[in-house]
Amino acid sequence: WSDYEKRLAELHSANKASLFAALAAASIPRVTVSFNGCGDEGRVDEVLAFAGEAGADLPNASVEIQTLAFGAATPSMLTQPLAEAIETFADALLDHAHDGWENGEGAFGEFIFDVAAQTIALDFNERFVGSDNFTHEF
């Protein structure tokens, strides 16, 4: 497991660099990716690009990213349109940080890709059902 985790971290770093290079080339300083899920179903709701406070269009440019299935010796290379590659990468980060996030009551949140700072922040909100039990004997 630790070998898989190490290799996955390397791929995430390479994928992040590829995506940020494509975003910088398109003069897109910020992207948000919102997600929502519960009841064993989860999805990315939207990928939004921003130039300042105004919305911006992501170019149709293709980007190569890598994925690694557990137990696989070598990663798979995917060539996807930029918006789809961002979604694929965000989904991989989400599964890595909060595997099973869509199960039960699920979770929701947002990624913020900050191109200038070269960071990806995750705001993650997990849903749960609580139960309080009181027993009285009179």
Side-chain angles (χ1 to χ4, degrees):
W1 178 254
S2 63
D3 288 342
Y4 171 73
E5 289 282 308
K6 181 182 175 192
R7 185 67 179 123
L8 201 57
E10 292 168 358
L11 292 180
H12 287 338
S13 180
N15 289 339
K16 179 179 165 183
S18 294
L19 291 173
F20 280 167
L23 290 168
S27 299
I28 304 290
R30 184 170 53 100
V31 171
T32 62
V33 180
S34 60
F35 61 90
N36 193 4
C38 68
D40 303 334
E41 297 288 329
R43 70 187 175 288
V44 167
D45 288 330
E46 60 186 352
V47 176
L48 298 175
F50 296 89
E53 293 303 313
D57 292 327
L58 287 169
N60 249 356
S62 292
V63 178
E64 287 188 346
I65 60 171
Q66 300 176 70
T67 62
L68 183 66
F70 183 72
T74 58
S76 299
M77 186 66 75
L78 297 175
T79 301
Q80 298 178 311
L82 182 55
E84 191 175 332
I86 290 169
E87 183 175 333
T88 298
F89 184 52
D91 196 40
L93 292 175
L94 189 55
D95 285 343
H96 187 230
H98 295 280
D99 188 34
W101 64 273
E102 72 282 5
N103 294 330
E105 300 305 312
F108 65 96
E110 180 179 68
F111 286 93
I112 300 174
F113 288 61
D114 184 331
V115 178
Q118 297 285 294
T119 60
I120 301 170
L122 170 59
D123 180 21
F124 183 85
N125 302 279
E126 185 173 12
R127 296 181 187 101
F128 60 91
V129 173
S131 177
D132 291 326
N133 176 265
F134 301 92
T135 303
H136 302 278
E137 186 173 318
F138 299 102

